[in-house]
């Protein structure tokens, strides 16, 4: 019993090792509080759009596109800023702008004056603040903990995000049912102040940061240099390409699950929240499963998790019953985040620190910036052919993309796949070149 207790303690200390760093602990706390509010706002916003648009999945797609269009337009510029200026200061500016906009939106909804076009405008403005903040935040994690703890910190950041996805939708579903959407927007606005308070309390002297270049040399950090850096690295191109394709067709659960709950299963806000919570429970497990990683994940870990995610997404789309969808969303969420984290870690653990901001900006761009193109199309498919079709079609495309990526990786490295039947059936790769 004592030995088992010691093993559990050792596992927990390894899983949450980054939380021993004060600056990271403040960062994670602020992000958790804010993100719970953000997910509450997303649920309330989607429900509000459906109410204002007579259950239009196309309108949901337009809102999602407007949220992510600034990512498409501004993310690479934001990554350049992250490599030239103080990331903590940039995060204060980005989070401050988000808070101001959240308060304004909550006042509009509470007053009863909100119209669909108001939601569209605020989605675009909040997306602009997010486009500035997200690449900087991604690059800032390495300054909080250093390279040694970076894989653990990235996984815990994903765990924070997905813990918020569990709590936020659940609270939002109850809040909408009991209080209506206005108070939910207000709670979200108040929660957005948490990162600002935590950033102010950080100790800049304890950050693991490189010296910023002199003012007259900062123009040398060009966006095109970051693009050329990635283009010369096939090991970065593959996860970038895979996350771009799968991000376009299968990561749109914010849109597709809302449509699935309301138009296919005819459920209320609380049941929609259960869908999102089931996905987030699995996602939290995927994030924690990644937290023990200390080395750069192989290309086959990235491809294998992408393939599993695609298969499960396909099954979710074909599932005929509400309970079965809820059940399948748990492993789907696990591999969704396990794949995203493996891609992120494979990139971050091999990039030159001088290019980190621009490379992570490109990662955010290919992951999230494709939504302005894909979201309206997926919304239209959901409206014309059903929400389930939009999900299983994305799953099949993801499976195909994973198979192509696997074939490309095997050809590039000279690797071969073998099947071992004993003692247990297992696929493995014979390495004949670089990995």
């Amino acid at each position: 019993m004592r030995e088992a207790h010691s093993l559990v303690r050792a596992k927990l200390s390894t899983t949450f090792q980054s939380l021993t760093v004060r600056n990271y602990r403040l960062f994670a706390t602020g992000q958790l509080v804010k993100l719970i509010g953000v997910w509450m706002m997303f649920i309330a916003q989607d429900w509000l759009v459906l109410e204002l648009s007579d259950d239009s999945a196309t309108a949901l797609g337009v809102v999602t596109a407007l949220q992510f269009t600034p990512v498409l337009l501004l993310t690479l510029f934001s990554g350049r800023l992250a490599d030239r200026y103080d990331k903590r200061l940039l995060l204060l500016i980005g989070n401050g702008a988000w808070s101001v906009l959240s308060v304004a939106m909550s006042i509009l909804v509470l007053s009863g004056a909100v119209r669909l076009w108001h939601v569209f405008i605020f989605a675009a403005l909040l997306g602009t603040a997010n486009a500035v903040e997200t690449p900087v935040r991604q690059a800032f994690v390495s300054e909080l903990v250093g390279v040694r703890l970076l894989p653990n910190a990235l996984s815990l950041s994903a765990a924070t995000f997905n813990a918020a996805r569990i709590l936020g939708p659940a609270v939002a579903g109850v809040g909408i049912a009991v209080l209506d959407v206005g108070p939910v927007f207000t709670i979200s606005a108040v929660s957005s102040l948490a990162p600002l308070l935590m950033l102010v309390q950080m100790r800049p002297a304890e950050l693991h940061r490189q010296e910023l270049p002199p003012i007259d040399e900062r123009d040398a950090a060009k966006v095109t240099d970051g693009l050329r850096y990635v283009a010369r690295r096939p090991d970065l191109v593959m996860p970038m390409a895979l996350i771009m394709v799968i991000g376009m067709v299968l990561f749109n659960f914010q849109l597709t699950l809302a449509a699935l709950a309301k138009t296919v299963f005819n459920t209320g806000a609380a049941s929609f929240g259960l869908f999102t919570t089931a996905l987030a429970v699995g996602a939290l497990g995927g994030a924690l499963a990644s937290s023990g990683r200390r080395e750069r994940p192989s290309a086959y870990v990235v491809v294998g998790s992408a393939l599993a995610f695609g298969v499960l997404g396909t099954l979710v789309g074909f599932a005929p019953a509400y309970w079965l969808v809820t059940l399948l969303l748990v492993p789907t969420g696990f591999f969704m985040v396990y794949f995203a984290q493996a891609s992120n870690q494979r990139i971050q653990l091999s990039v030159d620190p001088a290019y980190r901001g621009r490379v992570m900006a490109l990662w955010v761009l290919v992951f999230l910036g494709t939504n302005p193109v894909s979201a309206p199309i997926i919304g239209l498919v959901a409206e014309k052919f059903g929400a389930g079709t939009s999900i299983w079609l994305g799953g099949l495309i993801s499976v195909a993309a994973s198979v192509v990526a696997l074939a490309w990786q095997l050809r590039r490295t000279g690797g071969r796949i073998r099947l071992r039947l004993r003692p247990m059936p297992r696929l493995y790769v014979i390495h004949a070149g670089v990995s």
Side-chain angles (χ1 to χ4, degrees), residues 74-90 135-136 139-140 143 209-226 353-359 361:
L74 300 176
T75 292
L76 291 180
F77 173 73
S78 178
R80 183 177 181 234
L81 292 178
D83 285 334
R84 297 167 69 199
Y85 298 105
D86 186 333
K87 297 178 182 64
R88 179 167 163 264
L89 177 60
L90 293 173
V136 180
F140 187 54
E143 291 190 1
R209 55 169 50 158
Q210 291 185 317
E211 286 290 328
L212 290 170
I215 295 293
D216 57 351
E217 294 181 12
R218 293 183 187 179
D219 283 337
K222 297 178 180 178
V223 170
T224 52
D225 291 338
Y355 290 92
R356 189 181 302 278
R358 282 164 289 177
V359 171

Side-chain angles (χ1 to χ4, degrees), residues 200-417:
V200 169
Q201 293 183 63
M202 286 183 184
R203 298 169 182 164
E206 296 178 7
L207 294 173
H208 301 257
R209 55 169 50 158
Q210 291 185 317
E211 286 290 328
L212 290 170
I215 295 293
D216 57 351
E217 294 181 12
R218 293 183 187 179
D219 283 337
K222 297 178 180 178
V223 170
T224 52
D225 291 338
L227 296 177
R228 280 194 288 266
Y229 175 81
V230 172
R232 293 193 298 265
R233 298 279 304 273
D235 60 320
L236 301 184
V237 170
M238 190 275 284
M240 288 271 192
L242 201 53
I243 202 74
M244 180 181 70
V245 175
I246 298 178
M248 285 182 67
V249 299
L250 196 54
F251 270 83
N252 292 278
F253 286 115
Q254 178 190 344
L255 187 166
T256 54
L257 291 183
L260 192 69
K262 204 166 195 299
T263 63
V264 176
F265 296 111
N266 300 311
T267 60
S271 297
F272 167 40
L274 182 59
F275 272 175
T276 310
T277 300
L279 185 75
V281 167
L284 178 59
L288 292 176
S290 304
S291 66
R293 187 175 288 134
R294 290 292 177 268
E295 298 178 352
R296 188 187 188 209
S298 73
Y300 299 106
V301 170
V302 175
V303 173
S305 55
L307 183 60
F309 177 42
V311 169
L312 286 162
T314 304
L315 294 176
V316 168
F318 280 120
Y322 175 87
W323 66 268
L324 184 57
V325 171
T326 305
L327 188 65
L328 285 169
L329 283 173
V330 176
T332 301
F334 180 95
F335 282 104
M336 177 181 72
V337 169
Y338 198 84
F339 160 58
Q341 280 302 103
S343 302
N344 191 319
Q345 291 168 343
R346 183 162 176 81
I347 292 167
Q348 287 236 42
L349 291 176
S350 66
V351 69
D352 186 327
Y355 290 92
R356 189 181 302 278
R358 282 164 289 177
V359 171
M360 293 317 299
L362 181 59
W363 189 83
V364 172
L365 176 64
V366 300
F367 188 12
L368 302 178
T370 53
N371 274 274
V373 177
S374 63
I377 296 173
I378 289 172
L380 184 61
V381 171
E383 190 165 321
K384 297 293 185 183
F385 303 102
T389 301
S390 68
I391 297 174
W392 65 252
L393 186 60
L396 290 178
I397 294 172
S398 299
V399 169
S402 302
V403 171
V404 170
L406 176 60
W408 180 84
Q409 180 67 19
L410 290 171
R411 181 175 181 180
R412 187 177 77 85
T413 63
R416 291 175 294 168
I417 294 179

Side-chain angles (χ1 to χ4, degrees), residues 187-210:
I187 295 170
S188 173
V190 173
S191 72
S192 69
L193 298 174
L196 294 171
L197 297 175
M198 297 303 169
L199 285 165
V200 169
Q201 293 183 63
M202 286 183 184
R203 298 169 182 164
E206 296 178 7
L207 294 173
H208 301 257
R209 55 169 50 158
Q210 291 185 317

Side-chain angles (χ1 to χ4, degrees), residues 14 31 53 62 83 100 119 140 147 152 157 167 172 178 186 270 288 303 315 357 375 416 422:
T14 300
Q31 286 299 307
S53 66
V62 171
D83 285 334
V100 171
V119 182
F140 187 54
V147 175
N152 179 256
S157 293
L167 296 172
V178 175
T186 303
L288 292 176
V303 173
L315 294 176
R416 291 175 294 168
R422 295 179 179 178

Side-chain angles (χ1 to χ4, degrees), residues 97-130:
W98 179 282
S99 295
V100 171
L101 291 167
S102 296
V103 170
M105 181 65 181
S106 67
I107 292 172
L108 192 61
V109 177
L110 280 171
S111 69
V114 67
R115 298 292 181 268
L116 187 59
W117 65 271
H118 294 146
V119 182
F120 290 164
I121 290 175
F122 273 94
L125 292 174
L126 287 165
T128 300
N130 194 44

